[in-house]
Amino acid sequence: MAPKRTLADDLEDDFALDNDYVSGSEDVQAVVDAPEPVKASKKRTSETPAKADNLNKRTKTVATTDKPSGKGTTASKFTVPSEANDQADTWNKYMKKAHPGITDLELADKLMLPQHIYTTTPAPSDSYLEDLAKTAVSTGKSKNKVMHGAPQVLVISSSALRVIDLVKRLRPVSKRGVLKLFSRHIKISDQIKSLKTTAVDIAVGTPNRILKLLTEDALKVNRLRLVVIDCWQDDKMRVVIDMDDTRKDLFSIWQDVLLPASANPDYGFKFRLV
């Protein structure tokens, strides 16, 4: 009876061929298709070495096939630099990566500089984000007293689920509610109405929704003191500044809204990668 063959439809959705397996497919095929030695009682003694030799070939082939290729596909852990110069360089590196066609001359006018970075001396801890937000909320002052839709702290993260987690963490920091700004199950028209009537100190959201609300002038920056870029990595080791779904909107927030606003002497916000 012919051996049962595995069809393409029987494979798992996430099945992927190992590079070494593919490169050694000819050797594997030779082992699979090789006929078994003919068994005969009269030639048992003479065929024993042949069987042993065949077994050695099988073992050698399997060992070669299973050998790790050394070409890992898992992304490495993203390390957030602590110094202002390094944070600015990291931001600019990923901004250029998001716009591969941009020239150095064009990029020069869009660069984040060390003076844009919030400097802090305490070593990062589990409550580092909360401590940053608490400092910005308690010391934030602005000539413009309008608070509707004008947070003092804006946290930008990669996904709605991550936003929800951060909102829970930041609620104790302010007496006012913490706004969730993402598109999942929330219409932008409802968020615009809410921002027009809601006094807020902290807002947390995803790049696309934040960019749209800034463009609609529903989310204001006149009271902004701190912009936090949440560099949390998801299960696939992706970070907001280097994800295809988020990075272009993220850098557009900087280039089109926050960078021009930073030139206004009435505004005094800083950035921090966390």
Side-chain angles (χ1 to χ4, degrees), residues 77-97:
K77 179 176 176 58
F78 182 85
T79 302
V80 180
S82 57
E83 299 297 326
N85 287 336
D86 296 332
Q87 288 222 348
D89 288 344
T90 298
W91 176 270
N92 295 330
K93 181 183 78 171
Y94 283 98
M95 180 167 61
K96 185 172 184 178
K97 183 178 179 181

Side-chain angles (χ1 to χ4, degrees), residues 6 18 36 72 79 81 118 142-143 146 151 157 181 218 220 256 266:
T6 302
D18 182 81
E36 293 292 336
T79 302
Y118 175 76
S142 175
K143 297 178 182 179
V146 176
S157 193
L181 305 177
K220 303 181 184 299
D256 301 337
D266 291 338

Side-chain angles (χ1 to χ4, degrees), residues 113-240:
L113 304 176
Q115 55 261 38
H116 292 129
I117 303 295
Y118 175 76
T119 56
T120 177
T121 52
S125 63
D126 292 340
S127 61
Y128 184 59
L129 175 61
E130 293 89 327
D131 294 340
L132 285 175
K134 189 179 298 183
T135 301
V137 170
S138 62
T139 61
K141 296 180 181 179
S142 175
K143 297 178 182 179
N144 192 330
K145 300 299 181 182
V146 176
M147 293 186 294
H148 292 167
Q152 291 179 295
V153 178
L154 177 62
V155 182
I156 307 177
S157 193
S158 58
S159 68
L161 292 177
R162 176 62 176 173
V163 168
I164 293 173
D165 289 340
L166 294 179
V167 167
K168 292 177 182 178
R169 288 174 52 183
L170 292 170
R171 276 175 183 160
V173 174
S174 173
K175 295 179 181 179
R176 299 184 177 93
V178 180
L179 284 184
K180 301 187 294 285
L181 305 177
F182 52 77
S183 58
R184 180 179 293 186
H185 309 309
I186 304 177
K187 294 181 180 179
I188 190 169
S189 57
D190 294 336
Q191 285 185 333
I192 291 175
K193 291 178 182 178
S194 177
L195 287 167
K196 288 182 178 179
T197 58
T198 303
V200 60
D201 285 328
I202 303 174
V204 187
T206 53
N208 182 262
R209 180 49 58 93
I210 288 176
L211 179 61
K212 288 180 179 179
L213 292 171
L214 287 169
T215 304
E216 293 286 340
D217 199 32
L219 183 64
K220 303 181 184 299
V221 299
N222 57 291
R223 292 179 68 242
L224 198 56
R225 303 294 300 174
L226 178 65
V227 179
V228 176
I229 308 302
D230 175 40
C231 294
W232 167 82
Q233 287 182 289
D234 63 11
D235 293 339
K236 297 181 180 180
M237 305 298 283
R238 300 176 303 177
V239 187
V240 66

Side-chain angles (χ1 to χ4, degrees), residues 1 13 17 43 49 54 77 80 83 90 99 105-106 112 114 124 142 168 183 243 255 265:
M1 179 181 295
D13 292 337
L17 286 174
K43 298 181 181 181
N54 189 42
K77 179 176 176 58
V80 180
E83 299 297 326
T90 298
H99 301 87
L105 183 62
E106 294 171 327
M112 182 176 287
S142 175
K168 292 177 182 178
S183 58
M243 292 173 61
Q255 297 169 14

